[in-house]
Each structure stands twice: as C-alpha cells, then as structure tokens.
Amino acid sequence: MVDRGLLYQEWKQHQALFLVVFFLLFLSTPFSIINDYFSYQSCMEYYSNDCQFYFDYSLGGSLQFFWAPGVLLAIVQLGLDRSKGVLDFTLSLPYSRSQVYHTKFLMGGMVLVGAQLLGYLLSKLLFIFLQPGRVDFFDHYMIGSIVISLMAYALVMAAGAITGNIFAQLLTSFSVTILPFLILVLPVLNLEVIIGHEPFWHELFLERFPIVDNPIWQYIIPIIYVDPHWVQESKYILLIPAAMCMLFYLIGFFSFIYHPSERSGSFFLWKQLDRPIQVLVIILGVLAFGYAGYSTSQSLFGYVIGMIIGAIIGFLISYFAIYKKTKHL
C-alpha cells in the first residue's frame, strides 16, 4: 500500500518542515514542565510558604495550538505541492493515486503522533523525577491533543484533495469547522424570528429536536476543540473527533483518487460542486444577515433588508471565490 521509495521521496521533499514540527510537538510539553519547575524553585527562595508545585491541564497545556502543526503539514503536503507542480511530478511516477495519498497521510500522521507520544513519555518521566504535588488531566489532555491534531490534519488534507489551490483549501477547511453550527443554529434562530419566541413553539421544537438542547451537540463542531475546555469533559468526548478524523480521511482518500489533481487553479477540482456550494453559501448568507438585521432593528423590515444584503454578499463571495482561478506559484 505504501512504497518505501515514495515514502523516502516525501520525507526528502519536506524534511525541514517535518523536523521542525516534530521537535516543536516533542519538546513543548516537557519544556513547559521544566520551566514551571524552575519557576517553583525561584519562588521557594523568596516565598517558601506560598509556593506550590503542581500541574493542572484542565485549561490546556503548553501548546494551546496543538492542532496548528497538522494544518501546516496538510497545506504544504497537498496545497503547496499542487501549486508548485510537485504533485504533478509525483503523480507521473509509477505509483497509484492511493499510494501517493496513503504515503502523504502516513508521513504526516507519523510526525504528529510520534512526536506527541515521545513528548508524553518524556513528560511522564519528568513528573516521576520532579515529583510535583499533583498532576491533573494530563493523560486526557495529551491523548486529546493527538486525536484532535490528527482530526485537523485529516480535515485539511481532505480539503486539499477537493480543492485546487491553497486559498480554497484553507477556506473550505474553515467552513467545514463551523458548518454544523451554521446548519443547526442559523435555521433555529431564523425560525424564532418568524414564529416568535412563544414558549409553546420553543418547547415543541425541543421536543422534536432534543439534540439542540443537549450540550453534547457542540462537540460535533470541529472548531470547538480549539478551546481546550474539552479537557474537563468525559474522556468519551474524544470518540467524536476520532470518528470525524476517520470521516475526513475517507473523504480525502476517495476525492484524491477519483477527482482530477492537476493544478488548474480552480476552487473545486470536481466542477459539479461549484453550483451546490454557491447556493449553500447564498442561503447561509441570507440566514446570517437576516438574523443580524433583525437583531439590530428588532423589526421584520430589518430582517428582510438583512436577507437581501446577505444574498448579495453571499453571491459575490461565492462567485469570485469559486469561479475565479488563481495563478500558479
């Protein structure tokens, strides 16, 4: 499935980036532990009675943006490679498309997971050696950082397999991270504008769609994991980003195999997506600006004006983003 020669080529093409990402993820948490220890020692010299040496990862740890290296790797491995023509060269080699995608994903995944696992083991050794008073949520935080960084990596890789340039890859990735919120919340907010805030309608809606009133639904929104408050939740929460990681991987894999990968500069490599996505952007623009207009004026007139403005803005953004090709690097 993965050829060693292709794996070596991928390594040589992005060796510097892989090493930077690896050591960043590997050393960040152990370095922060050592730094906190020295801060504790300094405190003991002057305020020995008020110093405490413990670690609480309930609000996140040393690397708040642990998802960012995965995003960077995916942009370079697919978006930048396509824009520079490197992907065209790789696809011209005697390897199948599935081998190329598997190799890229395997290399990026090994860097992300391997670095964080080694950082986790080194941190555990430091805890044994330094003996802090307590360590809270560390295992959950480190496992979560691995899962969520892989989810972010798989998402941006999938976006890169669907789109034809880096801008499209980033915009599509960001849109997907907030799409569940837009699809679930915007219609509900607009429905409240239309039918009012009567308790009967509200209770009827929650009875028919109980997921809206369940706090667990927020975790199907990928961008929610940027805020590390998930660390304080149940460990089973991480099954959601793990499942999304598998979904994004499959989407990226099949898109890379069946869609054209040449650097045409188009927004979507599969042209059949252009019109449906444009319609979706316009609808979301209408709903978002319509509700904003109502919130500002507290009147249906402001609601209608907002919908008109949203339709125009949604059309312009979708038209120039989707139908305007970018130049090659």
Side-chain angles (χ1 to χ4, degrees), residues 7 79 275:
L7 200 64
R275 189 64 65 186

Side-chain angles (χ1 to χ4, degrees), residues 32-107:
S32 71
I33 294 172
I34 295 174
N35 183 65
D36 288 348
Y37 174 75
F38 284 125
S39 297
Y40 168 72
Q41 292 295 323
S42 298
C43 176
M44 288 292 292
E45 295 180 3
Y46 303 100
Y47 312 101
S48 57
N49 294 330
D50 299 324
C51 298
Q52 294 182 329
F53 183 45
Y54 68 94
F55 295 92
D56 184 3
Y57 288 86
S58 61
L59 298 178
S62 60
L63 193 60
Q64 293 286 353
F65 300 99
F66 48 81
W67 50 269
V71 173
L72 179 62
L73 284 179
I75 290 173
V76 173
Q77 286 184 277
L78 270 188
L80 188 61
D81 275 7
R82 175 179 287 112
S83 297
K84 296 174 64 176
V86 176
L87 186 59
D88 291 345
F89 169 75
T90 304
L91 291 174
S92 69
L93 298 175
Y95 301 109
S96 66
R97 286 177 177 263
S98 62
Q99 284 181 305
V100 173
Y101 189 82
H102 284 315
T103 299
K104 286 182 173 293
F105 200 96
L106 178 63
M107 180 62 72

Side-chain angles (χ1 to χ4, degrees), residues 174-324:
F174 176 74
S175 300
V176 171
T177 62
I178 62 174
L179 190 60
F181 170 82
L182 297 177
I183 292 177
L184 290 175
V185 175
L186 274 181
V188 173
L189 295 176
N190 281 265
L191 186 63
E192 288 186 347
V193 173
I194 297 172
I195 67 177
H197 299 275
E198 296 294 332
F200 169 76
W201 291 107
H202 185 70
E203 292 175 5
L204 179 62
F205 181 82
L206 292 181
E207 182 180 343
R208 294 290 180 87
F209 303 98
I211 189 175
V212 176
D213 198 39
N214 192 330
I216 197 65
W217 79 268
Q218 65 180 317
Y219 291 105
I220 68 174
I221 307 175
I223 202 171
I224 203 73
Y225 296 97
V226 173
D227 185 345
H229 73 273
W230 54 266
V231 178
Q232 304 176 41
E233 301 294 338
S234 169
K235 60 183 179 180
Y236 298 108
I237 290 292
L238 293 177
L239 294 176
I240 299 175
M244 288 194 288
C245 178
M246 291 297 300
L247 176 62
F248 295 144
Y249 169 77
L250 292 175
I251 292 174
F253 173 67
F254 287 107
S255 297
F256 192 83
I257 290 178
Y258 295 111
H259 294 170
S261 294
E262 292 72 18
R263 50 173 186 162
S264 62
S266 301
F267 193 94
F268 289 116
L269 297 172
W270 193 36
K271 293 302 181 183
Q272 287 81 351
L273 283 175
D274 291 351
R275 189 64 65 186
I277 296 299
Q278 184 182 26
V279 172
L280 177 62
V281 171
I282 293 173
I283 292 174
L284 293 177
V286 168
L287 295 177
F289 281 87
Y291 183 76
Y294 177 81
S295 301
T296 302
S297 64
Q298 293 297 314
S299 68
L300 289 178
F301 176 77
Y303 180 64
V304 173
I305 295 298
M307 293 178 72
I308 295 174
I309 295 175
I312 295 173
I313 293 177
F315 172 79
L316 293 176
I317 291 177
S318 60
Y319 179 80
F320 287 104
I322 294 175
Y323 294 99
K324 183 178 176 59

